[in-house]
Amino acid sequence: MADPRTEAARRRTFAIISHPDAGKTTLTEKFLLYGGALGKEAGSVKARQGRRSATSDWMELEQQRGISITSTVLQFEYRDCVINLLDTPGHRDFSEDTYRVLVAADAAIMVLDAAKGIEPQTLKLFEVCREREIPFLTFINKWDRPGKAPLELLDEIEETLVVEPTPVTWPVGIPGDFRGVIHRGTGIYTRFERTARGSTIAPEEEVEAAEAEASDGEWWLAAKEEVELLDEVGRGVDVKTFLAGESTPLFFGSALTNFGVRFLLDGVVDLVPPPAPRRLADGSRRALDAPFSGLVFKVQAGMDKAHRDRIAFVRVCSGRFERGITAVAERTKRQFSTKYAQAMFGQDRDTADEAYPGDVLGLVNANDLRVGDAVYVDEPASFPPLPAFAPEHFMRARVKDTSKFKQFRKGVAQLDEEGAIQVLREEDLGDQAPVLAAVGPMQFEVATYRLENEFGAPIELTATPYTIARKTDSESASRLNAMQGVAVMSRDDGTQLALFESKYWMDRVLADHPELTLDRMIAEGGLN
Ligand code: G4P
């Protein structure tokens, strides 16, 4: 039986964040190509996408909107490592989901389009990364096309994100005429060759300096000079600042033509930290070789219309998971069977027989589990609570056809448990007309669509006057409720939120009553 510590040491678990269209899907596919998980040809991730939307009405919405909402996990082997790539939603309205995925990841890759640099949604997702204090690599994609100059991109990253970019590779050739990269660590110039639409691994050739000068002339000399300049100012990869999120190792490439993809994947293996002992709620850490424990970071129902099941995605934090073991859900202390555990590979489900720290399991119909929960065997584990994002959009929901009230209540509870939207209740209106609170308005569309299509309960949403929320407590709640322009509502987990009509009004209330409890929530004002 393998030692969980040895297995953990060869895991690399990370997520990709990017503005839509920067190339996340293409890069994911190329990782699989280089990891040997696609056979010899790329092209099947897109095919998978097609099938995915065909099999599930839930995915239909994604397709209509051209966005990715659901998270999937891909696993493949590269060098001696097991790579777990977690997918994140690309849209900022789902940044709370992105945060939860990052809780399950040990690092992120930020993909930028060479012509566009840092785009609005990259910035928002990056803020989520920073909030989570997660180290990240940067991939400058689409170098095969005209784009910004490399030094300009470095400045942009440094100024906008206040993070020091430390290039691992440096491009030879201008954007649009991309020849290869110099690896700054080894000084070796690798020239790439294009293949038809990049469907196979790009042939590479290591080129001697004299030959490079002859064949790539001024581009080679310019790149060499820039590399020397970078060396002089000390822009080398620094593991300590990388792990602290203060610097980001940077790679140039083109996912479409596969140029530079291998270097990035090598960067994942060499730089992404392997799973470490996870911090528990009491501040101690759970050793990697302690009995099995895992963190639920995503719950998703209705992924497959034929099954209508509910999957809890669990990141393994310690020990060896073995299918069939009986685990305990920490919040309810109830036992459940893991007979139907699945390893996730896109939408395909393979049975997971075993898993180690860093891996992700899909637990099917583990109905007790909610986002943030711990599961374990033998020794209890409990993880620090996940912070809730500050909702900034509030709509009241009512079922259109009152004979469907039961379905409505069930559906709302389900969305709440998944964390797809926050559900708030007032004492008098209770379940009849809960307030749905969202970080981004697209969450309402998803909730409406799902309540109608998955639960058969079409809803009507009406506007509320609220625009900002703060966490409060029972003592402050009764006083706040007596004020105008404030309403206190509760979440199912007991958290009380005070909703205000405007920030101005909230600031006034706070100024007049500084003794009231009004705690800020994560990403307040920063992410929308
Ligand atoms: P996303 O998941 O981040 O949203 O981006 P995706 O990979 O879907 O890529 C968006 C578009 O950018 C796609 O073009 C893709 O082919 C293209 N692309 C990705 N990487 C590169 C690259 O390195 N160079 C160039 N030139 N293009 C790249 P599309 O026209 O939307 O789709 P398709 O018809 O090409 O598949």
Side-chain angles (χ1 to χ4, degrees), residues 24 49 52 57-72 87-98 100-101 298-300 303 313 347 418-420 442-447 449-450:
K24 188 172 70 164
Q49 276 188 330
R52 185 168 79 180
D57 55 351
W58 163 228
M59 307 299 164
E60 220 173 84
L61 183 70
E62 292 192 320
Q63 205 183 35
Q64 281 167 13
R65 301 298 308 241
I67 51 165
S68 161
I69 301 168
T70 47
S71 290
T72 49
D87 189 15
T88 54
H91 199 282
R92 60 157 182 217
D93 281 11
F94 303 99
S95 50
E96 189 166 13
D97 286 336
T98 299
R100 296 184 193 125
V101 173
K298 170 125 196 132
V299 172
Q300 179 118 44
M303 283 179 74
F313 292 86
Q347 285 297 296
E418 280 180 33
M442 216 182 274
Q443 285 178 266
F444 293 123
E445 274 183 59
V446 171
Y449 183 92
R450 289 189 58 189

Side-chain angles (χ1 to χ4, degrees), residues 205-220:
E205 183 194 2
E206 289 184 4
V207 189
E208 297 293 332
E211 196 199 324
E213 202 168 331
S215 59
D216 297 310
E218 56 177 311
W219 302 136
W220 155 254

